[in-house]
C-alpha cells in the first residue's frame, strides 16, 4: 500500500513526438484526442460497442474490412471513402452497433496509442469521460502520463485543455503531484478556458478545420464533460470498457 506521504506523479506530454522523453513502462498513459478520436471511442463503448481495435493505417483497416469487420477510418478530419464509419461521436449512438467489434483508425489518436504501446497500461481520456476517468485513475496508485495526440505530432489546444483538466482533478485528490512545466502550463490554460471551452477554442486550428466541414455539433459534444462516462482500457489489442468504476 502506498504511503500517504508518497504521491504519484501526473505529467502532461504535448505530443507523441515528445513521448520518448516521458515514457515509463511502469506508468499509466492516458491517450487524449478530444477532437475527435478519444471522444468517439468513449461514445462507442458507452453506447454498447463491445470492443474497438485501434490500428495505425488505413491499409490495415481495409484488410480487416475485407475480412468482414465493421471499420471506421478518418484522415484529415474526414471519413475515408469506402469505410463504414468515420470519426464523429454521433455515428456511434446507434443501437445496431451494440455488441459489435469495430476496427478504428484516425489521423492522430490511434497513432498516439501505438506510440504508447509499451506502457504499463493505456486508457482513453476526453472531456466526455472526465469525472469517471479521474475517479478510476485516483485508485490505481500509479504514475500518470497524459499523452496529447496533437495534430500530426504538433501541439494543439483541445488536448492540452483536457490534459490540464485531468491533472487539476488528480492533484485535488492530494494523491498526485506534478513536476514538469508542461503540466503547469496545461493546468493554467484550462483554468483560463474552463468557463467557456467552446468560445476559447474558436480561434484554434482544429476548430476551424472541423467548422469548415460543418462539424460544429461534434465540437460541442466533445467539449462537454461527462456525456460518455466510461473508461476505455487497452486489453491486448482491443479497447474495452473498464468494469471497475
Amino acid at each position: 500500500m502506498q504511503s500517504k506521504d508518497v504521491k504519484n506523479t501526473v505529467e502532461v506530454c504535448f505530443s507523441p513526438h515528445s513521448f520518448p522523453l516521458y515514457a515509463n513502462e511502469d506508468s499509466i498513459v492516458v491517450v487524449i484526442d478530444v477532437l475527435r478520436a478519444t471522444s468517439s471511442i468513449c461514445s462507442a463503448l458507452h453506447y454498447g460497442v463491445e470492443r474497438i481495435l485501434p490500428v495505425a493505417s488505413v491499409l490495415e483497416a481495409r484488410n480487416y474490412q475485407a475480412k468482414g469487420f465493421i471499420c471506421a477510418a478518418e484522415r484529415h478530419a474526414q471519413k475515408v471513402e469506402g469505410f463504414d464509419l468515420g470519426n464523429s461521436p454521433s455515428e456511434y449512438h446507434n443501437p445496431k452497433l451494440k455488441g459489435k467489434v469495430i476496427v478504428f483508425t484516425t489521423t492522430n489518436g490511434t497513432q498516439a496509442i501505438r506510440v504508447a504501446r509499451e506502457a504499463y497500461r493505456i486508457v482513453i481520456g476526453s472531456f466526455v469521460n472526465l469525472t469517471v476517468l479521474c475517479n478510476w485513475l485516483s485508485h490505481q496508485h500509479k504514475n500518470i502520463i497524459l499523452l496529447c495526440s496533437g495534430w500530426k505530432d504538433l501541439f494543439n489546444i483541445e488536448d492540452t485543455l483536457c490534459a490540464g483538466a485531468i491533472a487539476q482533478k488528480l492533484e485535488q485528490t492530494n494523491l498526485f503531484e506534478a513536476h514538469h512545466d508542461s503540466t503547469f502550463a496545461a493546468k493554467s490554460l484550462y483554468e483560463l478556458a474552463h468557463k467557456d471551452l467552446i468560445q476559447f477554442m474558436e480561434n484554434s486550428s482544429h476548430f476551424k478545420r472541423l467548422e469548415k466541414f460543418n462539424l460544429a455539433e461534434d465540437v460541442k459534444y466533445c467539449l462537454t464533460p461527462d456525456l460518455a462516462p466510461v473508461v476505455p482500457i487497452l486489453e491486448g489489442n482491443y479497447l474495452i470498457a473498464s468494469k471497475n468504476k
Side-chain angles (χ1 to χ4, degrees):
M1 179 66 68
Q2 182 182 350
S3 167
K4 292 182 179 179
D5 297 325
V6 178
K7 296 182 180 181
N8 288 116
T9 59
V10 54
E11 302 293 0
V12 176
C13 175
F14 287 142
S15 84
H17 183 73
S18 301
F19 183 71
L21 302 173
Y22 294 81
N24 182 328
E25 292 182 2
D26 197 41
S27 292
I28 294 174
V29 175
V30 181
V31 173
I32 302 167
D33 185 4
V34 171
L35 300 178
R36 296 163 289 161
T38 58
S39 300
S40 292
I41 289 167
C42 292
S43 185
L45 293 176
H46 177 61
Y47 280 93
V49 168
E50 181 183 328
R51 290 181 293 164
I52 295 172
L53 177 62
V55 298
S57 72
V58 171
L59 179 59
E60 286 177 89
R62 289 200 190 282
N63 288 338
Y64 277 103
Q65 190 177 42
K67 296 175 184 177
F69 282 81
I70 300 170
C71 293
E74 169 267 324
R75 286 296 183 272
H76 315 297
Q78 293 186 285
K79 176 183 172 182
V80 178
E81 185 176 354
F83 281 88
D84 305 295
L85 298 160
N87 195 17
S88 290
S90 60
E91 294 181 82
Y92 300 91
H93 302 179
N94 183 346
K96 292 181 179 180
L97 297 177
K98 189 171 184 178
K100 301 295 186 181
V101 176
I102 294 175
V103 178
F104 190 72
T105 184
T106 69
T107 304
N108 302 296
T110 53
Q111 318 308 316
I113 293 170
R114 180 184 61 179
V115 165
R117 284 303 294 249
E118 299 305 315
Y120 169 79
R121 173 149 283 173
I122 295 173
V123 299
I124 298 301
S126 184
F127 282 110
V128 300
N129 73 333
L130 179 62
T131 299
V132 70
L133 172 67
C134 291
N135 289 342
W136 185 88
L137 291 170
S138 69
H139 288 88
Q140 301 310 305
H141 309 296
K142 286 286 184 179
N143 294 331
I144 309 296
I145 301 170
L146 304 174
L147 174 57
C148 302
S149 298
W151 178 257
K152 300 181 180 180
D153 273 339
L154 296 173
F155 172 92
N156 73 16
I157 294 289
E158 63 272 14
D159 295 347
T160 304
L161 288 172
C162 185
I166 296 169
Q168 182 186 84
K169 280 183 172 289
L170 291 180
E171 284 194 296
Q172 287 171 349
T173 68
N174 206 35
L175 298 172
F176 295 87
E177 60 187 4
H179 302 291
H180 295 315
D181 285 352
S182 57
T183 310
F184 174 74
K187 290 187 298 176
S188 299
L189 193 66
Y190 175 69
E191 189 62 31
L192 184 65
H194 78 279
K195 291 183 179 179
D196 194 336
L197 292 172
I198 293 175
Q199 184 181 43
F200 190 85
M201 282 286 301
E202 283 179 351
N203 291 318
S204 69
S205 61
H206 204 31
F207 183 96
K208 293 177 179 178
R209 192 177 294 114
L210 294 176
E211 191 175 47
K212 183 174 67 174
F213 296 128
N214 299 313
L215 294 169
E217 286 302 310
D218 277 8
V219 174
K220 182 179 178 181
Y221 179 92
C222 294
L223 296 178
T224 303
D226 302 329
L227 291 179
V230 64
V231 180
I233 298 177
L234 191 69
E235 295 284 1
N237 293 323
Y238 290 89
L239 290 163
I240 63 170
S242 169
K243 304 302 181 185
N244 299 315
K245 299 296 184 183

